[in-house]
Amino acid sequence: MSKVKDGDTVKVHYTGKLEDGSVFDSSVERDPLEITLGEGKLIPGFEKAVVGLEVGDKTTASIESADAYGERREDLELSIERNQLPEDIEPQVGMQLQLNQPNGQPVPVQITKVEEENIMIDANHPLAGKDLTFDIELVDIVN
């Protein structure tokens, strides 16, 4: 049997868990995730865990935040004037918004505080600063 190497396109099933064991994402009830390793589309720790597996292998990977979504960055928590929001949006804590960078690239943000004149938004990934565990099963090596 061949083993997965960098550059391979593979199909995997996964279940992602937080440190308390709660599941934040899983492909088990869906089609397997198809990815090409080395393209940087997945968190580094996940890709490292798949390299070396053979079809049918299962592994559990504990991934520290630095190899997952990175550490939380305070510079990504911003205060903006409430009047910068479209008039039809009533801001609420937890609401997801999308801001556009000067280059036009969208950035997802979450409202963390609502005040009379300003709102606080957080552009950190929701899983930033968290250590993650993934149960991974290699379903197929496509290439």
Side-chain angles (χ1 to χ4, degrees):
M1 288 219 127
S2 61
K3 293 185 178 205
V4 175
K5 61 189 178 313
D6 200 37
D8 283 349
T9 299
V10 298
K11 290 184 180 182
V12 296
H13 270 304
Y14 66 90
T15 299
K17 301 176 197 166
L18 300 173
E19 286 181 288
D20 66 4
S22 61
V23 174
F24 63 84
D25 193 15
S26 178
S27 69
V28 174
E29 299 295 322
R30 307 186 304 252
D31 290 334
L33 174 67
E34 184 172 322
I35 53 159
T36 300
L37 300 178
E39 289 185 339
K41 293 184 179 175
L42 286 180
I43 59 174
F46 191 101
E47 287 198 12
K48 289 177 195 170
V50 174
V51 171
L53 296 180
E54 295 178 354
V55 173
D57 281 354
K58 295 180 180 182
T59 188
T60 298
S62 297
I63 304 171
E64 293 185 13
S65 61
D67 274 342
Y69 292 95
E71 299 302 326
R72 288 195 57 75
R73 293 178 34 198
E74 288 184 21
D75 63 318
L76 295 178
E77 297 176 41
L78 310 166
S79 176
I80 63 170
E81 292 180 17
R82 196 170 174 157
N83 63 13
Q84 289 185 288
L85 294 177
E87 288 183 21
D88 62 333
I89 292 180
E90 183 59 39
Q92 297 177 11
V93 171
M95 181 181 280
Q96 301 281 328
L97 300 174
Q98 182 173 294
L99 299 180
N100 291 323
Q101 293 181 344
N103 66 4
Q105 185 173 353
V107 176
V109 298
Q110 183 173 24
I111 297 176
T112 57
K113 187 174 184 182
V114 177
E115 299 173 330
E116 194 168 324
E117 306 264 332
N118 297 309
I119 62 170
M120 290 294 295
I121 57 171
D122 186 351
N124 282 291
H125 188 282
L127 296 173
K130 298 186 185 302
D131 295 338
L132 309 175
T133 300
F134 282 92
D135 295 325
I136 303 169
E137 177 185 3
L138 182 63
V139 176
D140 194 15
I141 300 175
V142 177
N143 58 329

